[in-house]
């Protein structure tokens, strides 16, 4: 096989960021500085890193960030109270609750407390419903970024058979709905799927979002398939066995440098979308 | 092939109605009469029949119904105003907006005006989001009824490959999410699917919700598959070519007598669920 096309998420992110930066400039001329509030609960070092990266990206694009850090033992009620304050704060255009949150917190309740017009990370159930019905403002950022990668590289989605492995509320399910909205035939596989390789063999587009390192094997996929690795495992390892899959795939995302950087750039874009709606 | 098992929706509906009736009796002892408000806009004779059927079923089960009939030329704003009044009416436990509505009305806006706690027909985007995340109170009634039929006949869903044909907001999409929630592998096909027969041949469970009379052919399906015909075409004709499919299927719903009657019984059940939450 010829070498696959490498779908470089950093390039897509950069193109998105450039446009966002121009829009931020225009907003600042109108006296509006788009502001993303991030909430971190507890001291998970990986989460701290992610939140810091988001803050730095805000800075780079000329945006504001408001960082809220709550102690490990925060209750659901305290967290929701904090979210309500941010909902009411007119200077805040987007709210990101960094997950995972400590286990005593009802994450779903916290997510669903975010006002839909500030749900730039696409985590509310209402936002998911709207996106699924084709009119949501802010799809979850990794799914939006995956579509962004496919579009950037002009990979046709309509009529393609897309197989999504994983069904999490902010990755598997929303990416399935976005692909469906774009007229792909969509199959959702997961831990209870009996014969994953047979399902994958039908796929023109594979989205791996399962959380198992090096899980997807080259001999499971159809020659020429487009493989998107949205996995996020310890040590910066994806869900796709890149070595074997890159011998079969027509196009593939690397790890790092796949959907990861695009996710942040869509978070920024959504925050600016939200700020523009307020002008 | 042996004759397929006929999945008799009327039987499932009757079993559901019996339980609902007992719950209504208990509620009446507490002075609460579950009440479903139906809204009909215009004079479509089929819609009038459906609304009448729902009113009669309320009566049969000891429930109240409140029938609102609005003229053909009703605007979106007028309809939404009516819905808001019903949202605020403490005697109303469920609201059903009969669709289709006349073309000048923004149906999505009207649906999404229904208060989620009264959305017993499962039409709001928020309700869809909650159902998709696994905690919704009222899934759309036909999808809920389809799961009810599968459960009544003890057809295993977990691990099965379910193929849904159609992606409408109140049928294809929610039934896909309910099947996923029950651990099926789920494929969603639609008008842009390139090779529908190959997709269908993988299916242990087929749900046809496409709105094309006699569309699904026997030689498209896997021998022994479970075929659910959720089609609703003029002249009481389903989406499945019963004659050819019943020679191949292991189990199949008839038309009429498939998901249709179960849909109404779930509408009643949901209204009683809503009333019980208010006691």
């Amino acid at each position: 096989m010829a070498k696959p096309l490498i779908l470089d998420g950093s390039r897509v992110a950069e193109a998105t960021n450039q446009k966002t930066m121009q829009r931020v400039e225009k907003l600042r001329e109108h006296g509006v500085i788009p502001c993303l509030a991030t909430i971190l609960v507890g001291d998970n070092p990986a989460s701290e890193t992610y939140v810091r990266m988001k803050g730095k990206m805000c800075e780079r694009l000329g945006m504001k960030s408001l960082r809220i850090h709550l102690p490990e033992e925060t209750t659901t009620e305290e967290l929701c109270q904090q979210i309500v304050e941010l909902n009411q704060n007119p200077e805040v255009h987007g709210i990101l609750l960094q997950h995972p949150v400590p286990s005593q917190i009802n994450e779903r309740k916290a997510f669903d407390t975010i006002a839909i017009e500030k749900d730039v990370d696409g985590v509310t159930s209402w936002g998911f419903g709207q996106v699924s019905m084709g009119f949501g403002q802010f799809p979850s950022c990794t799914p939006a970024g995956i579509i962004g990668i496919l579009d950037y590289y002009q990979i046709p989605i309509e009529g393609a058979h897309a197989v999504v492995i994983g069904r999490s509320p902010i990755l598997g399910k929303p990416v399935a709905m976005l692909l469906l909205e774009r007229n792909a035939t969509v199959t959702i596989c997961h831990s209870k799927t009996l014969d994953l390789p047979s399902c994958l063999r039908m796929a023109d587009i594979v989205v791996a979002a399962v959380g198992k390192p090096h899980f997807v094997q080259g001999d499971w996929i159809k020659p020429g398939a487009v493989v998107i690795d949205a996995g996020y495992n310890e040590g910066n390892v994806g869900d796709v066995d890149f070595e074997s899959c890159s011998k079969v795939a027509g196009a593939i995302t690397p790890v790092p440098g796949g959907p990861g950087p695009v996710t942040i750039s869509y978070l920024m874009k959504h925050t600016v979308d939200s700020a523009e709606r307020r002008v």
Side-chain angles (χ1 to χ4, degrees), chain A:
Chain A
M1 284 287 293
K3 279 204 174 170
L5 173 65
I6 300 295
L7 304 171
D8 182 353
S10 308
R11 246 172 92 173
V12 183
E14 208 35 51
T16 310
N17 289 341
Q18 286 303 325
K19 281 186 215 155
T20 302
M21 226 179 314
Q22 291 165 8
R23 293 167 64 203
V24 171
E25 224 166 282
K26 282 236 167 95
L27 279 167
R28 292 181 77 116
E29 285 165 15
H30 288 85
V32 175
I33 307 178
C35 174
L36 174 69
T38 60
I39 308 173
L40 173 64
V41 186
D43 305 300
N44 181 306
S47 293
E48 282 187 36
T49 304
Y50 293 138
V51 165
R52 202 163 41 234
M53 281 165 67
K54 287 158 189 168
K56 277 190 181 160
M57 185 58 84
C58 283
E59 210 177 305
R60 216 201 104 195
L61 302 184
M63 297 162 57
K64 263 201 297 206
S65 67
L66 178 63
R67 284 182 55 180
I68 312 279
H69 193 163
L70 301 175
E72 183 75 31
E73 61 275 14
T74 300
T75 63
T76 303
E77 288 63 38
E78 287 162 346
L79 175 56
C80 289
Q81 184 46 43
Q82 177 61 69
I83 293 169
V84 168
E85 279 172 35
L86 294 171
N87 286 344
Q88 290 164 349
N89 183 339
E91 305 225 321
V92 169
H93 303 102
I95 300 170
L96 170 116
L97 170 60
Q98 184 66 44
H99 52 107
V101 290
S103 59
Q104 79 278 8
I105 288 175
N106 180 337
E107 184 178 76
R108 175 46 55 197
K109 191 171 175 196
F111 277 160
D112 276 348
T113 301
I114 297 173
I116 192 160
E117 69 274 14
K118 297 191 181 184
D119 179 25
V120 292
D121 197 28
V123 296
T124 60
S125 56
W126 195 10
F128 173 81
Q130 294 191 347
V131 165
S132 301
M133 298 306 162
F135 66 100
Q137 296 183 343
F138 308 124
S140 305
C141 292
T142 304
I146 290 170
I147 302 294
I149 291 174
L150 295 172
D151 283 345
Y152 183 89
Y153 285 99
Q154 301 185 320
I155 291 164
I157 302 176
E158 177 161 322
H161 194 140
V163 175
V164 176
I165 320 172
R167 51 174 167 169
S168 71
I170 57 166
L171 190 36
K173 283 175 183 169
V175 80
M177 295 319 266
L178 290 177
L179 289 162
L180 184 64
E181 194 58 33
R182 291 289 296 275
N183 293 326
T185 299
V186 178
T187 297
I188 309 171
C189 297
H190 45 78
S191 56
K192 303 289 182 184
T193 293
L194 295 184
D195 187 358
L196 185 62
S198 315
C199 284
L200 280 184
R201 234 162 266 132
M202 307 177 314
D204 304 303
I205 299 171
V206 175
V207 179
V210 67
K212 292 183 185 172
H214 298 305
F215 181 63
V216 176
Q217 300 299 311
D219 60 354
W220 296 359
I221 64 174
K222 184 162 86 173
V226 175
V227 178
I228 306 283
D229 187 350
Y232 232 61
N233 306 294
E234 222 169 310
N236 233 332
V237 170
D239 286 350
V240 169
D241 185 58
F242 186 85
E243 211 197 308
S244 63
C245 285
S246 64
K247 289 178 184 143
V248 190
I252 189 167
T253 57
V255 175
V262 200
T263 298
I264 297 192
S265 70
Y266 271 82
L267 180 66
M268 301 296 133
K269 177 186 175 298
H270 290 167
T271 305
V272 174
D273 289 343
S274 169
E276 282 181 349
R277 277 199 196 94
R278 222 80 71 70
V279 175

